[in-house]
Every structure is written in C-alpha cells, then in structure tokens.
C-alpha cells in the first residue's frame, strides 16, 4: 500500500476524547496492548493504487492506519511497524527467511512457500486477520499484513502455491519514511519463542525459498551457503591484532542508552571546558547544533568512544540539546528553522567540578573549521570537445582535418575551416570578410534556401555556423579512472531540498555514480557532519541511487562534494522547501 509515494492532507490534532476512544479500541482489539492515550495527529491519505484512509501519528512516528483491507468493506485499525516494535505481542507473528524479507520490503506479498513452520505448527490465525511478519528468530516486525488463508489449512509449505499474507505496510516503505526512520530494535525472544527457533533450526535442512514471494523475479537460492560454517571460518582467521582492536571498541559497540547519555554529556562538558571556553569563544556564538556536534563534540569524545545519538535515550540531537538547556548548561535559539546554541553557561556547577581529560586533536574555537581543499590533481576534469558530423566529413577530409581520435577543440575546428578557405582560394577579393561558398561548404554549413540564393557568406557567421553544426562532446576524467568521452554536456549532480509530510525538510542528491562518488560513503559522512539520519535508496525507473539526509543541508552537501573533487558547476541545486539556504 505504501511501497510508492502517497498523497496526504495536512495533519490535524486529534481531540482527547478521540484519543481515549482510539486507545480503548486498540486495547480491545489487539493482544497485550496496554498503552495509554496521548497527544496524536491525524491526516487523510490516498495511496498510489487508490486506497484511502487515515494515518494517526505521534509527534515523531506514524502509529496507526485506519483503512479498508482486502476482502473487507469496513474500516480497520492497523498498527504500523513503529507500534509493533513497542508492543511486539499485539499481533500474531509469522516468520520467514531473511531473503524473503528483502522482497517484502520491495513491495511483494508473502507466499505460503516463504513461511517458516516450526514442528509445533503455525499459530492459529484466521483468514482476514492481521499478522506481523518477522525475520526468522526475531520479534521486531518487518511487515504488517492481512492473512489471505487460514493457517489451519496450511499443511505443507515446500512447493505450496498461493499467497499467505497480503502486505499492507513494511519497514523501509514510504510510511516508514514519514517517521523517525528507526531501525528494527533487538527485542528479546521469550522462552516459548526460543524453543520454536531452536526447533526450526534443528529441523531446517536447506529448504529452498524459490516460490517464497509474489514477484516477477524468483529468489535465487542455488548459491546459498551455510552461514554457521562461514562464521566459524571467519572467526578462526581472526588475527591477534584484530581481536585486540575489537576489544578496544567493544565498550562503545555495545553501550546501553544510559551509557551513551553519559558519553554525550561528558563530551559537551569537555568542549565547554577546553574548546568553547569563556576565553576563546568570543564571536563564535550562535553555533548551529549540527556544527557543535560534528566539529566539536565528536573530536572531543572520550578515548575509544564513538558518539551516536541514536544509541542514546534521546534518539535525536535536538532532544539531547533541549535536555541540556533544561539542565542549565546552554541556551538554544531557532534561526531560520535551524536550532542554534546561543549561549553557554560556564558557571554551571557541573563545570566547576569537572576535570578535563586529554584529547589528541582539539579544535580551538578561534580557529574556523578548516576544510582541506582537494589537490588539483585529484579534481574531476572536464574538457569540451567537438566531433565532426557526417555532412562535414568531406570538407575536413579535403584538408586532412579529421584527427585520429575523432575529437577536436573549437580552436582546431576553426583552423580546419580557415585551411580549407585558403586552399581553395575562397576569399572575396573585393571584401575579405566574405567567403565564396562552394559545394562542400553548401552541403555542410548552409541550408537549401541559402545554397540557392547566396554566392558569398560572411566569414565570422560561417565560423559560427561551423561551431553550431559540430557535435558537442565532453571528456570526463575522474581521478583513478581512464578518461571517458560522452556526447553532449556533462550530466549534473542534482541536489533537491524539499518538504515531506508536515514540515519535515529533507535534502536529496542524485547522479553520484557518474563522477565516482560512493553513495554509501557520502551518506556516512553526511550523517556525522549534519548530525542527522541518512539513507541510500534506489531511484524509481532509473539505474541509480539517491542519498537522503534530514534537514536543509545544501551547503554541507556541496562542501562534501567539492572535497571529493566535484566542481560546483556540476551541481544543480533545486530548493522546494521554501526556507532560506544554509
């Protein structure tokens, strides 16, 4: 239902009575749902296939969908994956293989052959009931759908035909995109489910999943490998140095939210005590929130600690900074829709008792953040070239003007025409600015009407006509790759800043592959530089991907692309957000 963008109306607040009614309906409909009513918003939507309904959201995530399901005429309340992650027992759980999950996220329905059936059998779920679809051995839903068959009618799954679940909503679809884009959490599996997982793993004998999903491309499992053996082999090949490095970073890899909260506060106090101290800050304030995090807090984190706001209880940088403002360490100010730090409280009791630690690389406040410029040899080089069209080849061949490579510069093309004029003595003796046109000039540069009427033609206009008739090409040289010549002007990298649902602004960049920019690497650097979530998604209808980052990040994205050698002339910026550029 949400595998493609959907249309929606603006959100409106849900009345308290409606929120209480919704909570009562959810508690009476879904198993083990005990949440209390809170402040919610609702908005109407229309999917790409015409399905209509309402989306009920909190301040951060869509929580419920009220719509009609297949084979039903009444409006049904459907939880999103965000809601199921908070209440994993509210829906019956069906398991499938990880390779099938990938197809479900791509928009396919779950086929009966894709189900994982434990020895005790599937849970009893009637046709038309809602279910959560999870990866084998997990409790966090990757999809929510409606049963297309009664599970008691499923005797065998190997070679079975037909759909088992019609998927309504999945992790990573456009409804998930409208929320905080959190990854599925690690939900502990209870003893009953652990027994089911163990039974399935013992009984699994490599059954194929070729017919697991309803999609045009079958799932290829002929090259499947035993993941257990692969892991064992990899562990045996680990060197002592790798193990030591892994032990150093284990503390930050498996930190709890409370520990990450403490790391964030420690880094902030370290910055205030050593870098943004009262003596050096001066005119640096106000500082953008993303700049504070990426330029100051990250480099000044405790040794071997990697700061990740998503692993904290705050989940977002804005929530962390608001908590620090409430604590009295700093003051915040909104400037053109972006959060800034307007003041720092160096007299706070926490700072008076704080003892700074040593950091290898400290950026002083009086020094503006320096961006290392890419050396000239590492810049992407573009050269405009011309190719001779078929109509002009006789003229160029007459003076041996066709280069071996087939390409020439504009100046070389001018020389060829001048050489042809001189060789055939085409200059008008009465007016050297005019050229007598012969049959090759007429065939290659003049129209039929001009050929019938004109005997002489101005030299400068003839040269201009030659430049227009030549085929424009571009030689693209990406560092580390051989030069490539493309017809036409060089393709641009499109940077689009636009609004999504509500007032959320995102910045998207497309067309990176042509210039050798790795989308995944750029997304990782953007995530740190902007302190915002990023994603790499395929562009519908094109063999390319786009990198998306939360917020109006045109300036930072342009700088990072310039650092990778991409000239600013190749960047096409389109701002649809209605906000001032950052």
């Amino acid at each position: 239902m949400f595998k493609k963008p959907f249309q929606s109306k603006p959100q409106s607040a849900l009345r308290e009575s409606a929120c209480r009614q919704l909570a009562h309906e959810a508690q009476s409909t879904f198993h083990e749902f005990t949440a209390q009513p809170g402040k919610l918003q609702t908005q109407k939507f229309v999917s790409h296939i015409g399905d209509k309904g309402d989306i009920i959201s909190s301040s951060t995530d869509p929580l419920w969908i009220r719509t009609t399901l297949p084979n039903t005429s009444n409006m049904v309340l459907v939880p999103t994956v965000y809601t199921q992650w908070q209440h994993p027992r509210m829906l019956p759980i069906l398991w499938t293989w990880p390779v099938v999950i990938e197809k479900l996220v791509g928009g396919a329905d779950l086929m009966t052959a894709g189900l994982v059936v434990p020895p005790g059998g599937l849970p009893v779920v009637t046709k038309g009931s809602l279910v959560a679809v999870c990866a084998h051995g997990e409790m966090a839903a990757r999809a929510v759908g409606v049963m297309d068959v009664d599970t008691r009618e499923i005797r065998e799954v190997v070679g079975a035909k037909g759909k088992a679940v019609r998927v309504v909503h999945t992790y990573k679809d456009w409804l998930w995109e409208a929320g905080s884009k959190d990854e599925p959490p690690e939900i502990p599996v209870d003893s009953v489910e652990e027994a089911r997982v163990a039974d399935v793993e013992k009984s699994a004998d490599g059954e194929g999943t070729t017919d697991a999903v309803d999609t045009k491309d079958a799932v290829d499992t002929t090259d499947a490998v035993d993941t257990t053996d692969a892991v064992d082999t990899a562990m045996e090949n680990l060197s002592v140095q790798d193990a030591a490095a892994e032990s150093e970073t284990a503390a930050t890899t498996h930190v709890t939210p409370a520990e990450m909260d403490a790391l964030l506060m420690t880094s902030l106090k370290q910055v205030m005590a050593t870098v943004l101290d009262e003596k050096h800050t001066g005119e640096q304030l106000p500082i953008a929130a993303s700049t504070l995090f990426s330029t100051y807090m990250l480099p000044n984190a405790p040794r071997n600690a990697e700061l990740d706001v998503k692993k904290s209880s705050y989940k977002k940088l804005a929530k962390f900074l608001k908590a620090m403002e409430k604590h009295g360490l700093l003051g915040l100010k909104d400037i053109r829709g972006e959060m800034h730090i307007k003041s720092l409280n160096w007299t706070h009791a926490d700072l008076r008792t704080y003892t700074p630690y040593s950091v290898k690389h400290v950026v002083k406040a009086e020094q503006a953040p320096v961006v290392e410029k890419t050396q000239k040899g590492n810049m992407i080089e573009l050269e405009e070239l011309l190719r001779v069209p078929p109509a002009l080849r006789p003229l160029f061949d007459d003076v041996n003007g066709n280069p071996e490579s087939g390409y020439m510069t504009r100046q070389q093309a001018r020389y060829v025409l001048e050489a042809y004029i001189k060789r055939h003595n085409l200059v008008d003796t009465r007016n050297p600015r005019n050229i007598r046109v012969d049959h090759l000039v007429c065939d290659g540069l003049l129209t039929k009407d001009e050929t019938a009427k004109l005997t002489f033609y101005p030299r400068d206009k003839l040269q201009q006509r030659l430049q227009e008739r030549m085929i424009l090409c571009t030689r693209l040289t990406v560092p580390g790759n051989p030069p490539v010549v493309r017809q036409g002007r060089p393709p641009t990298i499109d940077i689009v800043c636009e609004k999504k649902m509500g007032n959320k602004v995102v910045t998207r960049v497309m067309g990176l592959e042509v210039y050798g920019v790795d989308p995944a690497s750029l997304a990782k650097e953007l995530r740190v530089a902007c302190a915002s979530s990023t994603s790499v998604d395929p562009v519908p209808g094109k063999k390319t991907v786009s990198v998306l980052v939360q917020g109006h990040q045109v300036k930072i994205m342009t700088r990072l692309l310039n650092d990778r050698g991409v000239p600013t002339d190749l960047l096409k910026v389109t701002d649809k957000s209605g906000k001032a550029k950052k």
Side-chain angles (χ1 to χ4, degrees), residues 101-403:
I101 292 291
E102 297 177 6
K103 296 297 181 179
L104 299 185
V105 172
D109 289 328
L110 177 61
M111 305 299 288
T112 304
L115 294 173
V116 175
V117 183
L122 294 169
V124 177
V125 185
T126 59
K127 181 178 180 180
S129 300
L130 292 171
V131 292
V133 180
C134 304
H136 176 221
E138 297 181 1
M139 296 291 290
R142 301 301 180 95
V144 176
V146 58
M147 288 297 300
D148 202 49
V149 63
D150 194 318
T151 55
R152 289 171 292 188
E153 298 177 3
I154 301 176
R155 298 288 183 259
E156 297 229 352
V157 296
V158 179
K161 302 295 183 181
K163 296 179 181 180
V165 179
R166 293 183 181 269
V167 175
V168 177
H169 156 58
T170 69
Y171 155 72
K172 281 193 174 181
D173 66 3
W174 284 89
L175 183 61
W176 173 86
E177 287 261 355
S180 57
K181 296 185 181 180
D182 290 340
E183 296 295 319
E186 294 184 4
I187 301 174
V189 181
D190 61 21
S191 58
V192 177
E193 295 298 336
E194 285 178 352
R196 293 178 59 197
V197 173
D199 289 341
V200 172
E201 290 177 345
K202 289 179 181 179
S203 61
D205 56 358
E207 295 175 352
T209 57
T210 306
D211 300 324
V213 293
D214 181 19
T215 181
K216 294 181 180 179
D217 300 326
V219 180
D220 185 8
T221 59
T222 56
D223 297 328
V225 296
D226 189 342
T227 56
T228 304
D229 292 341
V231 172
D232 291 342
T233 303
M235 292 299 294
E236 290 173 0
N237 294 333
L238 280 176
S239 63
V240 175
Q241 292 82 358
D242 292 337
E246 183 177 317
S247 63
E248 288 183 1
T249 58
T252 55
T253 305
H254 304 287
V255 295
T256 63
E259 292 172 340
M260 184 57 68
D261 293 349
L263 285 174
L264 290 171
M265 178 173 280
T266 302
S267 299
L268 177 61
K269 290 190 289 187
Q270 174 75 10
V271 169
M272 293 177 62
T274 59
V275 184
L276 294 177
D277 55 11
E278 194 169 4
K279 295 180 180 179
H280 296 94
T281 301
E283 298 180 355
Q284 292 293 320
L285 297 175
I287 298 176
S290 58
T291 302
L292 174 71
F293 184 77
S294 61
T295 306
Y296 298 108
M297 291 180 62
L298 286 178
N300 289 279
R303 186 181 179 185
N304 295 330
E306 181 179 349
L307 298 184
D308 190 345
V309 180
K310 286 189 174 182
K311 293 182 180 179
S312 69
S313 63
Y314 304 105
K315 301 302 181 183
K316 294 184 179 180
L317 179 62
K319 291 184 178 179
F320 166 70
L321 293 177
K322 288 179 180 178
M324 295 302 99
E325 181 183 35
K326 188 175 181 180
H327 188 61
L329 280 173
L330 49 81
L332 299 177
K333 180 180 180 181
D334 186 79
I335 301 178
R336 294 190 298 273
E338 182 187 7
M339 180 178 290
H340 283 67
I341 289 81
K342 68 175 182 179
S343 62
L344 296 171
N345 184 11
W346 293 283
T347 61
H348 196 278
D350 287 358
L351 287 181
R352 287 200 300 266
T353 59
Y354 177 73
T355 303
Y357 48 83
S358 61
V359 179
K360 291 183 179 180
H361 303 287
V362 179
V363 181
K364 289 297 182 182
E366 65 268 23
Q367 300 173 349
V370 178
V371 178
E372 182 180 353
K373 295 184 179 180
T374 307
Q375 298 179 357
K376 186 175 181 181
N378 293 331
M379 290 292 291
I380 294 174
E381 297 180 2
L382 298 173
E383 183 181 3
E384 186 181 72
L385 299 176
L386 300 177
R387 196 174 77 227
V388 182
L392 283 172
R393 284 177 185 169
L395 187 151
F396 277 71
D397 290 338
D398 188 80
V399 292
N400 295 323
N402 271 321

Side-chain angles (χ1 to χ4, degrees), residues 552-565:
H552 198 301
Q553 312 293 356
V554 174
K555 185 176 180 180
I556 295 178
M557 189 172 289
T558 301
R559 172 173 61 82
L560 293 180
L561 290 174
N562 290 156
D563 293 346
R564 282 168 166 76

Side-chain angles (χ1 to χ4, degrees), residues 525-543:
E525 192 167 349
L526 278 169
R527 184 164 56 251
V528 174
C530 305
S532 302
S533 61
T534 61
S535 63
V536 180
D537 307 304
V539 179
K542 297 182 180 180
K543 296 180 179 180

